[in-house]
Amino acid sequence: MNLKSTIALLVLALAAAVLIWKGPDLAPKVGLLPQPLPEAKGNTAPTLQKIVPGEITSISVNVPGSAPVKFTAAQAGKPLELPGNWPARRNEVEELVAVLSNLESRFQPVPLGKDEEGNASLKGYGLAPSQNPVNVEIVSKGETISLAFGEAPLEPGANPFTRPAFVRVGNEMELLRLGPDVLPILRRNSEFYRKRQLFPDATRVKVADSLRSAQE
């Protein structure tokens, strides 16, 4: 092996070492990979942490085309009730509360770009007004928190049951990616939460005791 070949091999080895070391940083700069999105630095995560089950006094879920679903509690720590004190199905209400109080994501917040008019670009996430996002208002720890939920437009041939959902807090310029199981729970109507009984349990027990006493 002559001197020129040796030098060429050393240069190649040095170039390979540089690529391994600096490759992830160099590739976007030379056009081999797209530029990474800037890290989102909004208040989404801190706001979502304020949604605590024992501190929620109101939930309002607005699904376009359906009547709003509303729950209120007399005070923090008390059960959430439907309007008119209609008995609610507790397990189903707790499932809704669990979803809204556990919106953490294993994905990093997604920074939102802007459209030609300077507004947040929301169509890629199903959050534009024309896409009928689900809007939720929660009062927790005395603070009203507004959330908008949407799902990415369905691509041709894609499985509709696995497409991700997204949530935006207020007017934050970022959003979180969620699993596909969130929106089906949020889209339940008020009838789903109503317990089908004429009288509350306590009243039925009193009536049953009165009947037994009369028979004796």
Side-chain angles (χ1 to χ4, degrees):
M1 182 181 295
N2 57 34
L3 181 60
K4 290 184 179 179
S5 299
T6 302
I7 293 174
L9 290 174
L10 288 174
V11 170
L12 288 174
L14 181 60
V18 171
L19 285 175
I20 293 173
W21 179 34
K22 291 289 188 179
D25 296 327
L26 289 175
K29 295 178 180 179
V30 298
L32 296 178
L33 289 174
Q35 291 288 341
L37 291 172
E39 182 180 354
K41 297 181 180 179
N43 295 313
T44 296
T47 302
L48 292 178
Q49 289 174 0
K50 297 177 183 178
I51 305 174
V52 180
E55 299 289 343
I56 296 174
T57 55
S58 175
I59 296 175
S60 178
V61 183
N62 294 279
V63 179
S66 301
V69 178
K70 296 184 177 181
F71 298 94
T72 55
Q75 62 185 54
K78 295 292 186 180
L80 290 162
E81 304 288 356
L82 289 163
N85 290 324
W86 188 284
R89 300 167 67 184
R90 290 294 160 205
N91 290 340
E92 285 73 9
V93 175
E94 289 175 4
E95 185 178 19
L96 174 64
V97 171
V99 166
L100 294 174
S101 59
N102 289 280
L103 292 172
E104 296 88 353
S105 175
R106 63 186 178 88
F107 299 99
Q108 290 293 325
V110 179
L112 286 170
K114 293 186 178 181
D115 58 23
E116 295 178 354
E117 299 178 355
N119 300 314
S121 183
L122 301 172
K123 285 192 174 181
Y125 311 101
L127 290 167
S130 62
Q131 294 171 304
N132 297 326
V134 176
N135 294 295
V136 179
E137 279 198 353
I138 305 166
V139 178
S140 181
K141 295 186 176 183
E143 182 176 339
T144 300
I145 300 169
S146 299
L147 307 174
F149 295 82
E151 54 191 353
L154 187 63
E155 298 292 337
N159 186 341
F161 300 106
T162 59
R163 60 176 166 168
F166 296 90
V167 60
R168 185 187 187 193
V169 177
N171 293 318
E172 291 288 334
M173 289 301 293
E174 65 178 14
L175 47 82
L176 282 183
R177 178 176 175 173
L178 306 172
D181 57 333
V182 173
L183 278 169
I185 294 175
L186 296 180
R187 287 177 174 144
R188 293 168 175 171
N189 59 32
S190 58
E191 292 297 319
F192 178 87
Y193 292 101
R194 291 183 177 181
K195 186 180 289 185
R196 297 303 176 185
Q197 62 184 51
L198 186 58
F199 300 105
D201 292 336
T203 303
R204 289 191 292 128
V205 170
K206 289 180 180 179
V207 171
D209 289 342
S210 299
L211 289 174
R212 281 197 296 269
S213 298
Q215 291 173 355
E216 293 174 357

